[in-house]
Amino acid sequence: MKVGNYRNWKSYSHGEEIHADVVVIGSGCGGATLAYELAKKGVNVALIEQGGNYHTGTFDNNELNMAGKISAERNFHTTSDGSVSLVYGNNLGGASVHYWADSYRTPDDRLKLWNRKYGVLGHLPEDLFPYWNELEENLNVNPASEPYFNRMNQLFRGSSQTLGWEGHAVPQARKNCQKSGHCMQGCMFGAKQSQLVTHIPRAVSLGTDVYTDLRAEKLLIQGQKVVGLETISIDRATLRPESKKIIFKAKAVCVAAGGFGSSTFLLRNGFKDRLPMLGEHLAINPSPMVHALFEEPIIQWRNIPAAYGVEAFRLAEYRNGDYRQGGYMLMPNQLQPATLAALIPGFGKEHSEFMEQMPRLGGTIGWIDDVETELGRIEVDRSGKRKIHYPFGRITKQIFNDLTYKQMILNFEAGAKEVFLPGFKTHRFSKLPKWEEIQSLEWRAGEFPMAAPHPAGGCRMGTNVHNSVVDSTHRVHGFKNLFVSDSSVFPTGVSVDPSFTIMAFSKIAAKQVVGEV
């Protein structure tokens, strides 16, 4: 069997034409899994990645250096109002290279919701069930065991159990973890089972060719079929496009550029007129955090990030239509020193005092399950510049309040002598404040920094062109051989880390793509 090749910007020739059965755009959890599944079926796949191929031997555990290698926009990209940092990958393996390795099976309630409310077929619990054991075996997924609980994880588990908040050890995709604590910078030991060390090399061993430093530019269309893709080479040193254009000819094209990237690519190709829902219904899983100062050393940037998670509040509760509580996952936080410094409040002496106590700083973070009626959108202007809009709606702000207050309760229960919020203004508390004090927070844009690690939507799956972008076969409405396979097809957020859901959906998508080639 032919083994595939890895190519990069140095190897391309202007005007080069490459033929493949299927072109896959993007190499994260969606694209890499799709390429592997197609390769297993004997399909000739060209896997295209805009970022570079950085093997684990090039990782140095330096958060600033690694941001330049594996983080798009060096982690400086935000929503249009600057309120939320957009976290996604720009490298072979995509965001899986810097994710926390949390690997949750999709909750049954979410799959049933997508079927009942949005008409998604063929993606019910019984449809995904056959893939869970396979994925868990291939990615070595197991619940975090005691040796991987750092001090913040231990305190978090103990205080949540005392409070009676249901939680569990987080399922982790790791093998021979060295506990370095630099998961967000890419694992230099290759222990975190990202797509870079799992599905991609397996796909290559089965004949898939990988093309890095290559940006997808323009779909080549004839009638209702896509016949190819025009790409442009990206200079690795400057990340700027070169003059070299490479053409791919294929029987099918699969867009798997991620929750932010896939809808952006289709918008830049002028699809908004024919697909009015393109770029709409964007979930971003905003993640407010609370810092905590303890008497004992915490050193939150060691060992794995989240060994234990609270799931008691995963689903929002309503009473008579009014929000009551919940709508988020709750976990220990892990921030490396430079990132932590940027998120500590205050200036000058006050900031310096916090920095001097950095080893004793811990804290928590929550992943908000986006409110279905308050989702954002992606737009692209005439010059091709992307803007991501995510206004905080009324219910979303209520969730922020509840989540922040519960984080404070948990940290004080864990023994914190002081808790405080990130941001430019100082909000410090030596004891649990009154609920009304938290309710008074306005959550203005940029005031409380947070990230968006798990985008979904923009290419929502549904029944027709008026309410969605793709159908239940992952085909783009109006096309026979154009598919989307990543988190952008989810009708809403997943309510847990989406990596496993993306991979399972991609296995389903692969069956449909094979039918076209």
Side-chain angles (χ1 to χ4, degrees), residues 397-398 401-402 405 434-443:
K397 290 181 179 179
Q398 292 175 326
N401 289 339
D402 181 55
Y405 201 60
K434 293 182 179 180
W435 167 240
E436 291 74 20
E437 193 170 346
I438 302 303
Q439 282 184 307
S440 67
L441 298 175
E442 297 185 17
W443 297 100

Side-chain angles (χ1 to χ4, degrees), residues 4 6 21 218 311 313 330 381 395 475 486 499 510:
Y6 290 93
D21 291 331
K218 183 181 179 181
E311 300 151 20
F313 310 107
L330 185 56
D381 64 21
I395 299 175
R475 281 182 178 83
D486 55 30
S499 58

Side-chain angles (χ1 to χ4, degrees), residues 14 18 30 94 96 112 256 292 324 363 377 380 392 398 470 503 506:
H14 178 64
I18 298 168
S96 73
K112 291 177 181 178
R324 184 183 179 192
R377 62 186 177 88
V380 170
F392 293 158
Q398 292 175 326
V470 302
M503 287 183 258
S506 295

Side-chain angles (χ1 to χ4, degrees), residues 336-509:
Q336 273 63 46
T339 305
L340 183 55
L343 293 172
I344 289 175
F347 296 91
K349 182 179 179 180
E350 182 180 37
H351 190 272
S352 179
E353 289 175 351
F354 276 129
M355 292 294 292
E356 290 171 358
Q357 302 177 92
M358 184 175 282
R360 295 193 288 117
L361 290 179
T364 52
I365 189 168
W367 317 112
I368 288 180
D369 184 24
D370 304 68
V371 179
E372 290 180 69
T373 57
E374 297 180 357
L375 300 177
R377 62 186 177 88
I378 299 176
E379 68 175 13
V380 170
D381 64 21
R382 291 182 179 180
S383 67
K385 184 178 180 180
R386 176 177 64 190
K387 289 186 178 181
I388 294 178
H389 305 279
Y390 194 88
F392 293 158
R394 179 181 60 85
I395 299 175
T396 302
K397 290 181 179 179
Q398 292 175 326
I399 296 176
F400 283 161
N401 289 339
D402 181 55
L403 171 56
T404 299
Y405 201 60
K406 284 193 170 66
Q407 289 187 76
M408 289 181 171
I409 292 172
L410 192 149
N411 279 291
F412 277 122
E413 181 65 37
K417 58 182 278 188
E418 181 180 5
V419 302
F420 54 99
L421 305 182
F424 301 111
K425 293 185 178 181
T426 303
H427 298 274
R428 303 176 68 168
F429 306 88
S430 58
K431 63 180 181 180
L432 186 66
K434 293 182 179 180
W435 167 240
E436 291 74 20
E437 193 170 346
I438 302 303
Q439 282 184 307
S440 67
L441 298 175
E442 297 185 17
W443 297 100
R444 287 186 292 263
E447 186 171 343
F448 299 98
M450 66 188 77
H454 305 139
C459 295
R460 172 181 273 183
M461 185 177 287
T463 58
N464 59 67
V465 72
H466 303 294
N467 62 23
S468 58
V469 174
V470 302
D471 63 21
S472 294
T473 68
H474 290 256
R475 281 182 178 83
V476 175
H477 292 304
F479 290 89
K480 295 181 179 179
N481 63 342
L482 177 61
F483 300 82
V484 180
S485 185
D486 55 30
S487 63
S488 68
V489 306
F490 301 158
T492 68
V494 184
S495 81
V496 295
D497 182 288
S499 58
F500 247 35
T501 307
I502 297 169
M503 287 183 258
F505 269 46
S506 295
K507 287 176 176 288
I508 292 174

